[in-house]
Amino acid sequence: MNIRYYLFIILALLIVEVKAQQHDLKLNSLQDTLIKISTAAVAAESDEVKTEINGRFVKTLVEALKIPNSFSYPFDLLKNVSVIQSPDRAFRVLSWYLKQSNGTYRYYGTIQMNTNNGALKLYPLIDQTDNFTDANAINNNQRWYGSRYYEIVPVKSGNHLPYYVLLGWKGNNETTTKKVIEILTFEKDNLVFGAPVFDGKELKGKNRIIFEYAKSNAMVLKTDQKAGMIVFDHLAPFDPEMVGRPEFYGSDGTFDGFKFIGGRLKLQEEVELTNEANAMDELYADPKKNLKPIRKF
């Protein structure tokens, strides 16, 4: 009786292993297809063709994600798509962009939940940047302030509703680039983007933080694990007369940060950056060292 039971267990495990290998082979094949489609979309000469090819990309991606337990498949060879997983393995975000002929960007993405039975649960992200009248508005996945995310930070404190901080790159137009600190909350079966969790000067009512700076420059926006905060370059105009014109803004060589305190993000000015730069950072540029800091969001 015991021997039959153990043989049954071994057979069941073998079947599971074979199915897992078959799924991986299928996902490998679909990843190869996705790489080809993505490369073609980026190289397309017109916006119309890019959109058509991207439609095929989305369809193929969904086909891949429908494969049971696809959450564990890394898609690490799909270089045009950022795939980042929350540290608690609750979900992951897949996001990408296509540059348009006029120098602007169109963003695409989806959030895949980690389900107990391996079944697919997706929240498509619909970029509505062009239709926003208020970039500070709280939105859902159907009205998304599109970005290519590269880092997720979970935040939880006492009775505070847990939320996640998403750090994203947002190419803007031919003159400026943006980076975003986005807040993501799960409320029952809905996604909410944006929340007033920021404390500091001129931050009352801020639901997300948007940085904008000259396209020819770069900006660090990342977590510093040792300091327990999000750190970022302080941006200032190259010339004091250019205040309010982000196309003339760049790093002044100093850093500010948001420290995680009591479930909120509290502004800290002139902090020291202790972590080494990582592969997700843009190349650091120090446009001028003698700029007068102008600390405004």
Side-chain angles (χ1 to χ4, degrees), residues 259-280:
K259 193 169 184 64
F260 302 102
I261 301 176
R264 298 184 63 81
L265 300 180
K266 296 194 176 183
L267 179 64
Q268 314 287 311
E269 296 184 344
E270 299 187 27
V271 302
E272 292 186 7
L273 185 62
T274 57
N275 276 6
E276 295 181 359
N278 60 48
M280 300 308 299

PDB file of all heavy atoms in Angstrom, residues 259-280:
ATOM      1  N   LYS A 259      12.181  60.147   2.669  1.00  0.00           N
ATOM      2  CA  LYS A 259      12.438  59.110   3.659  1.00  0.00           C
ATOM      3  C   LYS A 259      11.122  58.459   4.077  1.00  0.00           C
ATOM      4  O   LYS A 259      10.102  59.135   4.223  1.00  0.00           O
ATOM      5  CB  LYS A 259      13.133  59.692   4.891  1.00  0.00           C
ATOM      6  CG  LYS A 259      13.709  58.638   5.831  1.00  0.00           C
ATOM      7  CD  LYS A 259      14.594  59.260   6.878  1.00  0.00           C
ATOM      8  CE  LYS A 259      15.251  58.212   7.764  1.00  0.00           C
ATOM      9  NZ  LYS A 259      16.163  57.333   7.017  1.00  0.00           N
ATOM     10  N   PHE A 260      11.143  57.127   4.231  1.00  0.00           N
ATOM     11  CA  PHE A 260       9.955  56.382   4.639  1.00  0.00           C
ATOM     12  C   PHE A 260       9.780  56.518   6.149  1.00  0.00           C
ATOM     13  O   PHE A 260      10.528  55.924   6.927  1.00  0.00           O
ATOM     14  CB  PHE A 260      10.089  54.909   4.256  1.00  0.00           C
ATOM     15  CG  PHE A 260      10.299  54.685   2.780  1.00  0.00           C
ATOM     16  CD1 PHE A 260      11.558  54.395   2.275  1.00  0.00           C
ATOM     17  CD2 PHE A 260       9.236  54.772   1.893  1.00  0.00           C
ATOM     18  CE1 PHE A 260      11.755  54.192   0.913  1.00  0.00           C
ATOM     19  CE2 PHE A 260       9.414  54.572   0.530  1.00  0.00           C
ATOM     20  CZ  PHE A 260      10.683  54.291   0.044  1.00  0.00           C
ATOM     21  N   ILE A 261       8.800  57.306   6.566  1.00  0.00           N
ATOM     22  CA  ILE A 261       8.541  57.539   7.990  1.00  0.00           C
ATOM     23  C   ILE A 261       7.044  57.397   8.249  1.00  0.00           C
ATOM     24  O   ILE A 261       6.243  58.150   7.697  1.00  0.00           O
ATOM     25  CB  ILE A 261       9.020  58.939   8.438  1.00  0.00           C
ATOM     26  CG1 ILE A 261      10.525  59.097   8.184  1.00  0.00           C
ATOM     27  CG2 ILE A 261       8.696  59.171   9.908  1.00  0.00           C
ATOM     28  CD1 ILE A 261      11.056  60.479   8.502  1.00  0.00           C
ATOM     29  N   GLY A 262       6.674  56.424   9.085  1.00  0.00           N
ATOM     30  CA  GLY A 262       5.277  56.258   9.452  1.00  0.00           C
ATOM     31  C   GLY A 262       4.348  56.030   8.274  1.00  0.00           C
ATOM     32  O   GLY A 262       3.196  56.483   8.300  1.00  0.00           O
ATOM     33  N   GLY A 263       4.814  55.334   7.278  1.00  0.00           N
ATOM     34  CA  GLY A 263       3.978  55.043   6.126  1.00  0.00           C
ATOM     35  C   GLY A 263       3.835  56.193   5.157  1.00  0.00           C
ATOM     36  O   GLY A 263       3.025  56.132   4.219  1.00  0.00           O
ATOM     37  N   ARG A 264       4.634  57.261   5.348  1.00  0.00           N
ATOM     38  CA  ARG A 264       4.591  58.401   4.448  1.00  0.00           C
ATOM     39  C   ARG A 264       5.981  58.680   3.892  1.00  0.00           C
ATOM     40  O   ARG A 264       6.986  58.123   4.365  1.00  0.00           O
ATOM     41  CB  ARG A 264       4.038  59.635   5.175  1.00  0.00           C
ATOM     42  CG  ARG A 264       2.603  59.435   5.663  1.00  0.00           C
ATOM     43  CD  ARG A 264       2.041  60.696   6.278  1.00  0.00           C
ATOM     44  NE  ARG A 264       1.951  61.800   5.317  1.00  0.00           N
ATOM     45  CZ  ARG A 264       0.955  61.937   4.432  1.00  0.00           C
ATOM     46  NH1 ARG A 264      -0.013  61.045   4.370  1.00  0.00           N
ATOM     47  NH2 ARG A 264       0.923  62.969   3.615  1.00  0.00           N
ATOM     48  N   LEU A 265       6.039  59.535   2.878  1.00  0.00           N
ATOM     49  CA  LEU A 265       7.300  59.908   2.251  1.00  0.00           C
ATOM     50  C   LEU A 265       7.603  61.352   2.615  1.00  0.00           C
ATOM     51  O   LEU A 265       6.935  62.282   2.140  1.00  0.00           O
ATOM     52  CB  LEU A 265       7.209  59.747   0.730  1.00  0.00           C
ATOM     53  CG  LEU A 265       6.891  58.333   0.227  1.00  0.00           C
ATOM     54  CD1 LEU A 265       6.836  58.300  -1.293  1.00  0.00           C
ATOM     55  CD2 LEU A 265       7.921  57.342   0.728  1.00  0.00           C
ATOM     56  N   LYS A 266       8.601  61.542   3.460  1.00  0.00           N
ATOM     57  CA  LYS A 266       8.921  62.866   3.965  1.00  0.00           C
ATOM     58  C   LYS A 266      10.173  63.410   3.284  1.00  0.00           C
ATOM     59  O   LYS A 266      11.220  62.758   3.268  1.00  0.00           O
ATOM     60  CB  LYS A 266       9.108  62.823   5.488  1.00  0.00           C
ATOM     61  CG  LYS A 266       7.823  62.439   6.214  1.00  0.00           C
ATOM     62  CD  LYS A 266       7.883  62.718   7.699  1.00  0.00           C
ATOM     63  CE  LYS A 266       6.532  62.415   8.347  1.00  0.00           C
ATOM     64  NZ  LYS A 266       6.512  62.742   9.792  1.00  0.00           N
ATOM     65  N   LEU A 267      10.049  64.611   2.752  1.00  0.00           N
ATOM     66  CA  LEU A 267      11.133  65.224   1.998  1.00  0.00           C
ATOM     67  C   LEU A 267      12.333  65.513   2.883  1.00  0.00           C
ATOM     68  O   LEU A 267      12.197  66.071   3.981  1.00  0.00           O
ATOM     69  CB  LEU A 267      10.638  66.523   1.352  1.00  0.00           C
ATOM     70  CG  LEU A 267      11.673  67.304   0.532  1.00  0.00           C
ATOM     71  CD1 LEU A 267      12.117  66.486  -0.680  1.00  0.00           C
ATOM     72  CD2 LEU A 267      11.112  68.653   0.099  1.00  0.00           C
ATOM     73  N   GLN A 268      13.510  65.124   2.404  1.00  0.00           N
ATOM     74  CA  GLN A 268      14.781  65.417   3.057  1.00  0.00           C
ATOM     75  C   GLN A 268      15.653  66.144   2.035  1.00  0.00           C
ATOM     76  O   GLN A 268      15.863  65.637   0.934  1.00  0.00           O
ATOM     77  CB  GLN A 268      15.493  64.129   3.505  1.00  0.00           C
ATOM     78  CG  GLN A 268      14.595  63.130   4.208  1.00  0.00           C
ATOM     79  CD  GLN A 268      14.219  63.560   5.601  1.00  0.00           C
ATOM     80  OE1 GLN A 268      15.080  63.938   6.382  1.00  0.00           O
ATOM     81  NE2 GLN A 268      12.931  63.502   5.929  1.00  0.00           N
ATOM     82  N   GLU A 269      16.154  67.307   2.404  1.00  0.00           N
ATOM     83  CA  GLU A 269      16.957  68.084   1.468  1.00  0.00           C
ATOM     84  C   GLU A 269      18.446  67.888   1.716  1.00  0.00           C
ATOM     85  O   GLU A 269      18.895  67.674   2.842  1.00  0.00           O
ATOM     86  CB  GLU A 269      16.595  69.563   1.560  1.00  0.00           C
ATOM     87  CG  GLU A 269      15.154  69.849   1.149  1.00  0.00           C
ATOM     88  CD  GLU A 269      14.819  71.323   1.152  1.00  0.00           C
ATOM     89  OE1 GLU A 269      15.592  72.113   1.758  1.00  0.00           O
ATOM     90  OE2 GLU A 269      13.792  71.685   0.562  1.00  0.00           O
ATOM     91  N   GLU A 270      19.205  67.954   0.612  1.00  0.00           N
ATOM     92  CA  GLU A 270      20.665  67.875   0.647  1.00  0.00           C
ATOM     93  C   GLU A 270      21.155  66.630   1.382  1.00  0.00           C
ATOM     94  O   GLU A 270      21.864  66.710   2.378  1.00  0.00           O
ATOM     95  CB  GLU A 270      21.246  69.155   1.268  1.00  0.00           C
ATOM     96  CG  GLU A 270      20.897  70.400   0.468  1.00  0.00           C
ATOM     97  CD  GLU A 270      21.593  71.650   0.972  1.00  0.00           C
ATOM     98  OE1 GLU A 270      22.686  71.514   1.559  1.00  0.00           O
ATOM     99  OE2 GLU A 270      21.044  72.740   0.785  1.00  0.00           O
ATOM    100  N   VAL A 271      20.767  65.471   0.868  1.00  0.00           N
ATOM    101  CA  VAL A 271      21.197  64.200   1.445  1.00  0.00           C
ATOM    102  C   VAL A 271      22.424  63.695   0.701  1.00  0.00           C
ATOM    103  O   VAL A 271      22.746  64.151  -0.405  1.00  0.00           O
ATOM    104  CB  VAL A 271      20.062  63.151   1.374  1.00  0.00           C
ATOM    105  CG1 VAL A 271      18.828  63.648   2.084  1.00  0.00           C
ATOM    106  CG2 VAL A 271      19.718  62.804  -0.086  1.00  0.00           C
ATOM    107  N   GLU A 272      23.112  62.731   1.317  1.00  0.00           N
ATOM    108  CA  GLU A 272      24.275  62.116   0.683  1.00  0.00           C
ATOM    109  C   GLU A 272      23.849  60.815   0.025  1.00  0.00           C
ATOM    110  O   GLU A 272      23.166  59.997   0.646  1.00  0.00           O
ATOM    111  CB  GLU A 272      25.375  61.855   1.711  1.00  0.00           C
ATOM    112  CG  GLU A 272      25.999  63.118   2.271  1.00  0.00           C
ATOM    113  CD  GLU A 272      27.184  62.816   3.170  1.00  0.00           C
ATOM    114  OE1 GLU A 272      27.590  61.630   3.235  1.00  0.00           O
ATOM    115  OE2 GLU A 272      27.707  63.755   3.792  1.00  0.00           O
ATOM    116  N   LEU A 273      24.280  60.613  -1.197  1.00  0.00           N
ATOM    117  CA  LEU A 273      23.975  59.392  -1.932  1.00  0.00           C
ATOM    118  C   LEU A 273      25.021  58.347  -1.575  1.00  0.00           C
ATOM    119  O   LEU A 273      26.192  58.497  -1.901  1.00  0.00           O
ATOM    120  CB  LEU A 273      23.976  59.662  -3.437  1.00  0.00           C
ATOM    121  CG  LEU A 273      23.557  58.511  -4.346  1.00  0.00           C
ATOM    122  CD1 LEU A 273      22.120  58.099  -4.066  1.00  0.00           C
ATOM    123  CD2 LEU A 273      23.691  58.911  -5.809  1.00  0.00           C
ATOM    124  N   THR A 274      24.587  57.262  -0.879  1.00  0.00           N
ATOM    125  CA  THR A 274      25.549  56.277  -0.388  1.00  0.00           C
ATOM    126  C   THR A 274      25.622  55.029  -1.248  1.00  0.00           C
ATOM    127  O   THR A 274      26.624  54.342  -1.276  1.00  0.00           O
ATOM    128  CB  THR A 274      25.192  55.844   1.047  1.00  0.00           C
ATOM    129  OG1 THR A 274      23.855  55.314   1.068  1.00  0.00           O
ATOM    130  CG2 THR A 274      25.248  57.045   1.982  1.00  0.00           C
ATOM    131  N   ASN A 275      24.533  54.692  -1.950  1.00  0.00           N
ATOM    132  CA  ASN A 275      24.553  53.486  -2.784  1.00  0.00           C
ATOM    133  C   ASN A 275      25.261  53.755  -4.092  1.00  0.00           C
ATOM    134  O   ASN A 275      25.219  54.855  -4.643  1.00  0.00           O
ATOM    135  CB  ASN A 275      23.121  53.018  -3.093  1.00  0.00           C
ATOM    136  CG  ASN A 275      22.564  52.169  -1.981  1.00  0.00           C
ATOM    137  OD1 ASN A 275      23.184  52.012  -0.936  1.00  0.00           O
ATOM    138  ND2 ASN A 275      21.388  51.627  -2.207  1.00  0.00           N
ATOM    139  N   GLU A 276      25.885  52.729  -4.636  1.00  0.00           N
ATOM    140  CA  GLU A 276      26.481  52.853  -5.951  1.00  0.00           C
ATOM    141  C   GLU A 276      25.384  52.900  -7.001  1.00  0.00           C
ATOM    142  O   GLU A 276      24.326  52.312  -6.855  1.00  0.00           O
ATOM    143  CB  GLU A 276      27.405  51.666  -6.236  1.00  0.00           C
ATOM    144  CG  GLU A 276      28.620  51.614  -5.315  1.00  0.00           C
ATOM    145  CD  GLU A 276      29.515  50.448  -5.650  1.00  0.00           C
ATOM    146  OE1 GLU A 276      29.159  49.694  -6.583  1.00  0.00           O
ATOM    147  OE2 GLU A 276      30.544  50.292  -5.003  1.00  0.00           O
ATOM    148  N   ALA A 277      25.657  53.607  -8.078  1.00  0.00           N
ATOM    149  CA  ALA A 277      24.685  53.673  -9.169  1.00  0.00           C
ATOM    150  C   ALA A 277      24.452  52.282  -9.734  1.00  0.00           C
ATOM    151  O   ALA A 277      25.360  51.449  -9.764  1.00  0.00           O
ATOM    152  CB  ALA A 277      25.192  54.607 -10.265  1.00  0.00           C
ATOM    153  N   ASN A 278      23.214  52.013 -10.156  1.00  0.00           N
ATOM    154  CA  ASN A 278      22.930  50.704 -10.725  1.00  0.00           C
ATOM    155  C   ASN A 278      22.637  50.810 -12.209  1.00  0.00           C
ATOM    156  O   ASN A 278      22.608  51.901 -12.779  1.00  0.00           O
ATOM    157  CB  ASN A 278      21.760  50.025  -9.994  1.00  0.00           C
ATOM    158  CG  ASN A 278      20.486  50.831 -10.074  1.00  0.00           C
ATOM    159  OD1 ASN A 278      20.092  51.283 -11.138  1.00  0.00           O
ATOM    160  ND2 ASN A 278      19.833  51.004  -8.940  1.00  0.00           N
ATOM    161  N   ALA A 279      22.401  49.667 -12.840  1.00  0.00           N
ATOM    162  CA  ALA A 279      22.256  49.614 -14.294  1.00  0.00           C
ATOM    163  C   ALA A 279      21.021  50.342 -14.786  1.00  0.00           C
ATOM    164  O   ALA A 279      20.932  50.689 -15.962  1.00  0.00           O
ATOM    165  CB  ALA A 279      22.221  48.155 -14.755  1.00  0.00           C
ATOM    166  N   MET A 280      20.046  50.608 -13.887  1.00  0.00           N
ATOM    167  CA  MET A 280      18.822  51.268 -14.310  1.00  0.00           C
ATOM    168  C   MET A 280      18.956  52.785 -14.317  1.00  0.00           C
ATOM    169  O   MET A 280      18.104  53.488 -14.831  1.00  0.00           O
ATOM    170  CB  MET A 280      17.648  50.860 -13.399  1.00  0.00           C
ATOM    171  CG  MET A 280      17.352  49.371 -13.405  1.00  0.00           C
ATOM    172  SD  MET A 280      17.137  48.694 -15.054  1.00  0.00           S
ATOM    173  CE  MET A 280      15.718  49.630 -15.623  1.00  0.00           C
TER     174      MET A 280
END
